[in-house]
Amino acid sequence: MTLDAPVDLADHTPPPESGRGRLRRLLDRNWFAWAMVIPTVVVLGVLVFFPLVQGVYQSFTNLNEGNQQSEICTKTLGGGEVCKPNPKQAEFVGLDNYKRILTGETGKFWLQFTNTIAWTLACVTFHYSIGLGLAVMLNRRFKGRGLYRVLLIVPWAVPAFVSAFAWKFLFNHDFGLINALLTQVGLDPVEWFNHRWTAIFAAVVTNIWLGVPFMMVALLGGLQSISGDLYEAASMDGASPWQRFRNITLPGLRPVSASVILLGTIWTFNMFPIIFFVTGGEPAGESEILVTGAFRAAFEGLRNYSLAATYGVLILSMLVVFAGAYRRMLRNQGEVF
C-alpha cells in the first residue's frame, strides 16, 4: 500500500481579491447601512463641503459687492434693459488677501487674533472649572437636587441672543444692575464698553453664563459612570476627599474632559452672537474677535466677500491645527481619541 503524494497547499491558495471585489463584497454585506448613510453624505456635501470649497476658492479672488456680477444691466427709457460685460469682474489674485490680512493692511487682524485667544482661554477655563464644581456638587445626594439641576440648565435653554441682550442691559452704565450694586458698596460705576478689556470681560461673563450648563451636564454624566467601589476602597485605605478627587475623579473624567474641552474651544472660538450683541466691537472695534471681523468684512461698507472668505479659511486652519495638536497630545498620554 502506497501513500499519496503530499499536496502542495500553495497551488490551492485563492487568488488575491481585487479592490473592486472587496468593494462589491462590502456593499453586498452592508448595503442597508450604506443606504442609510448616503442621504446624510449627500446633504453634508451640499450644505458643507461645496460651500467650503467655494469659500476657499473665493479667498484667492478679489470678489466684492461691486464686481460679483459678470454683466451690468441698466434700464432704458423704453422700459427695457441694456446689459454690458462688467469691466471690473472679480479675478484670481492668488495670496494677496492673505498677505493683506497678515500684514495688517486690511484692519485689526492681530488685535482680533489676540482677543480671540484671550476670550477662548478665559471662557473655556471657567466653563470647565465651574462646570466641574457644579457637577461634583450635583453628583451627591441632597434635598432638592432635581430642582437645582433644572435651574442650572435654564441658561442653556435660553436663546443666546436673548441672554446677550439681557447681560448687555445688566452692564449698562446708567441703568445696569451691576453698576447699581457697585454704587451701593461705595464704588464708582464702570463704563464697561468704553475700554477694551472691560468690554471683553462683560462678554466673557455672558458666555460663562451660557456655557457652564453644557459642561456641567457632560461632566455629571462622566461622574456617574465612575464606579462607586473605587471611592469605597479609597475611603477604607484612608484617602482624603482631595486624594479621592485627584486620583479617582479626575482620571475617570479624562475621556469626557478631552471631548468637552475640544468642543468648547471650537464653539467659543467661533462664538459670534455674544461679542456682536454684547460689546458690538466697542470701543472702536477693539473688542472684536476673528469671526466678527469676518462678518464686518462681508456685510459692512463695500462688502468684501473674498476678504471674509480669507478670514474663514484662516479660522478653519487655526482650529484644524489646534485639533491635530490636541489629539496628538492626548495620544501621547495614552488616551484614545
Side-chain angles (χ1 to χ4, degrees):
M1 183 176 179
T2 60
L3 297 175
D4 295 333
V7 178
D8 189 0
L9 296 178
D11 296 338
H12 298 275
T13 302
E17 191 175 12
S18 63
R20 181 179 299 179
R22 287 196 300 270
L23 179 60
R24 183 173 182 180
R25 182 166 55 85
L26 182 63
L27 292 175
D28 291 341
R29 180 185 301 175
N30 303 312
W31 67 270
F32 185 77
W34 285 106
M36 295 294 102
V37 170
I38 286 176
T40 303
V41 174
V42 172
V43 171
L44 287 176
V46 173
L47 298 180
V48 177
F49 297 113
F50 175 72
L52 176 62
V53 173
Q54 186 181 34
V56 173
Y57 170 74
Q58 288 178 354
S59 69
F60 296 104
T61 67
N62 62 348
L63 181 67
N64 58 46
E65 188 178 16
N67 61 19
Q68 62 178 331
Q69 296 180 350
S70 59
E71 294 183 341
I72 299 178
C73 297
T74 57
K75 292 184 178 181
T76 63
L77 295 177
E81 288 187 349
V82 177
C83 297
K84 298 180 180 179
N86 187 355
K88 297 182 180 180
Q89 188 176 356
E91 58 186 9
F92 188 84
V93 295
L95 297 175
D96 286 356
N97 289 322
Y98 294 92
K99 292 178 181 177
R100 292 174 59 202
I101 288 180
L102 296 177
T103 56
E105 180 182 344
T106 60
K108 301 178 178 180
F109 173 81
W110 291 110
L111 174 67
Q112 295 165 356
F113 174 76
T114 304
N115 291 344
T116 304
I117 298 300
W119 150 266
T120 304
L121 285 175
C123 289
V124 174
T125 300
F126 283 106
H127 283 167
Y128 184 81
S129 57
I130 298 175
L132 178 59
L134 293 174
V136 171
M137 181 187 71
L138 293 178
N139 194 42
R140 300 176 179 179
R141 296 186 179 275
F142 59 90
K143 187 176 181 180
R145 182 175 63 168
L147 176 62
Y148 284 112
R149 287 185 177 183
V150 173
L151 293 177
L152 289 171
I153 293 176
V154 167
W156 197 17
V158 178
F161 71 93
V162 175
S163 296
F165 285 130
W167 279 95
K168 185 177 181 65
F169 180 76
L170 290 175
F171 281 103
N172 184 273
H173 177 264
D174 298 319
F175 309 105
L177 177 62
I178 295 177
N179 276 347
L181 294 176
L182 292 177
T183 304
Q184 290 294 325
V185 297
L187 299 177
D188 294 330
V190 178
E191 295 183 350
W192 296 99
F193 303 112
N194 286 358
H195 306 280
R196 174 189 178 189
W197 291 113
T198 54
I200 294 176
F201 173 80
V204 167
V205 171
T206 306
N207 197 45
I208 290 172
W209 162 265
L210 287 172
V212 163
F214 166 75
M215 286 287 184
M216 181 192 69
V217 171
L219 295 173
L220 181 59
L223 286 173
Q224 294 178 347
S225 66
I226 301 175
S227 175
D229 297 337
L230 297 175
Y231 292 101
E232 292 181 7
S235 298
M236 294 177 63
D237 290 339
S240 65
W242 168 248
Q243 289 175 328
R244 294 197 298 269
F245 176 79
R246 186 183 61 183
N247 297 308
I248 299 177
T249 303
L250 289 181
L253 287 177
R254 191 172 296 167
V256 177
S257 299
S259 299
V260 295
I261 289 175
L262 178 61
L263 291 175
T265 301
I266 294 174
W267 292 341
T268 306
F269 202 92
N270 290 320
M271 182 60 72
F272 169 81
I274 303 305
I275 295 293
F276 187 78
F277 290 124
V278 175
T279 73
E282 296 178 4
E286 292 187 4
S287 63
E288 298 276 2
I289 60 174
L290 291 175
V291 290
T292 57
F295 172 83
R296 297 193 186 281
F299 297 106
E300 292 187 355
L302 178 62
R303 300 181 178 182
N304 195 330
Y305 304 124
S306 62
L307 194 66
T310 307
Y311 264 96
V313 173
L314 290 173
I315 292 171
L316 176 62
S317 301
M318 294 175 192
L319 291 176
V320 168
V321 170
F322 168 76
Y326 186 73
R327 181 174 179 270
R328 176 172 295 183
M329 180 188 71
L330 293 177
R331 291 183 62 183
N332 292 336
Q333 294 177 357
E335 294 293 330
V336 179
F337 187 80

